[in-house]
Amino acid sequence: MKQPYPGTSWVAHASPAPAPQITLLCFPFAGGGATFFREWGRWLGPEIEVWPVEYPGRWSRMREPLCVDAVDLAERALLGLGERLPPRFAVLGHSMGALVAFEFVRALRRRGARLPERLIASSRKAPHAALAGPPLHELDDARMISTIAARYGGLDPRLLQEPELMAMLAPILRADLRVHEAYRHYEEPPLALPVLALGGRDDTRVSEQDLQDWSGVSTAAFSLEMHPGGHFHLEKRSEALGRQLRAALLSDE
């Protein structure tokens, strides 16, 4: 009997679909985990099966070492997931996760494996674009967390008053920020699959033009959509965004 989702630590909170047509593999943001995508199966509908990726070193994988390099993280995900990927799948990444998703697709291509039908990149500059400002992963714990909370949202500043939570979260955030900030893009031929870029209209860190730059990663169709909200616009799971994702994922393009 075919398993509805992989029995591997790389996927947590998977949502088996009643009438699956395609699987959406979701890569979380820095400091985030698979729980961010836990309700997406019900939100996106019965034809789309959602596999939220759980990175090493957190939650159910707390005993595993953290990754600090995007290419290494992508290749490790490929080793854990590659043979279990379904016939039809797409890849989505949010913020840091968009970078990991991009490198995951390139790792699949280097292995000669089946590629996703679409890459969806949310709230991150394109891989070949330089990041602005000094790296946050080099700050002390308190300044790192307070700066992230101020710039991006998504973090409760009251964490600074919780030493135990700080001690658990800070190493994860630092490792993920290093994945995000220390990344150095190296040239490979462009991909040949459709790319959809998503952003929040009120995101002060990633502009519409930043997202437009994702058009350069592929020779296939590119589209860009801006939605209400800031850096974490996906949290809203708006009806309009759901319709757009469904249309993109169920398209024959």
Side-chain angles (χ1 to χ4, degrees), residues 102-123:
F102 168 74
E103 285 295 348
F104 180 77
V105 176
R106 297 215 298 182
L108 285 168
R109 185 174 63 176
R110 288 194 295 273
R111 295 288 184 95
R114 182 174 61 256
L115 297 183
E117 297 187 8
R118 188 176 299 268
L119 169 64
I120 304 172
S122 172
S123 296

Side-chain angles (χ1 to χ4, degrees), residues 1-14 16 49 51-52 54 60-61 64 79-86:
M1 178 179 176
K2 179 183 178 293
Q3 291 181 317
Y5 52 89
T8 167
S9 57
W10 280 94
V11 171
H13 306 293
E49 194 158 273
W51 287 5
E54 191 78 282
S60 61
R61 307 184 67 183
E64 300 178 45
L79 289 175
L81 292 168
E83 294 183 359
R84 306 297 299 276
L85 290 170

Side-chain angles (χ1 to χ4, degrees), residues 44-196:
L44 291 177
E47 306 94 340
I48 300 168
E49 194 158 273
V50 179
W51 287 5
V53 171
E54 191 78 282
Y55 300 135
R58 70 210 67 203
W59 322 129
S60 61
R61 307 184 67 183
M62 192 67 73
R63 296 180 182 274
E64 300 178 45
L66 293 160
C67 289
V68 295
D69 179 82
V71 176
D72 177 55
L73 181 53
E75 289 180 344
R76 287 173 64 178
L78 173 58
L79 289 175
L81 292 168
E83 294 183 359
R84 306 297 299 276
L85 290 170
R88 293 191 64 199
F89 70 101
V91 175
L92 176 147
H94 181 69
S95 196
M96 179 200 83
L99 178 63
V100 181
F102 168 74
E103 285 295 348
F104 180 77
V105 176
R106 297 215 298 182
L108 285 168
R109 185 174 63 176
R110 288 194 295 273
R111 295 288 184 95
R114 182 174 61 256
L115 297 183
E117 297 187 8
R118 188 176 299 268
L119 169 64
I120 304 172
S122 172
S123 296
R124 194 195 188 276
K125 291 186 176 184
H128 53 277
L131 300 180
L136 301 185
H137 72 270
E138 295 179 354
L139 300 176
D140 62 65
D141 290 355
R143 288 176 63 209
M144 178 181 69
I145 289 175
S146 62
T147 303
I148 292 170
R151 285 187 184 179
Y152 300 103
L155 271 181
D156 190 336
R158 288 176 294 182
L159 281 171
L160 296 170
Q161 311 303 320
E162 300 289 342
E164 291 185 4
L165 285 175
M166 279 271 292
M168 180 180 72
L169 179 61
I172 295 171
L173 264 176
R174 190 176 304 283
D176 286 357
L177 286 171
R178 187 172 171 186
V179 168
H180 173 70
E181 296 173 330
Y183 174 77
R184 294 294 179 268
H185 182 69
Y186 57 94
E187 293 295 332
E188 286 186 5
L191 300 172
L193 70 163
V195 175
L196 167 63

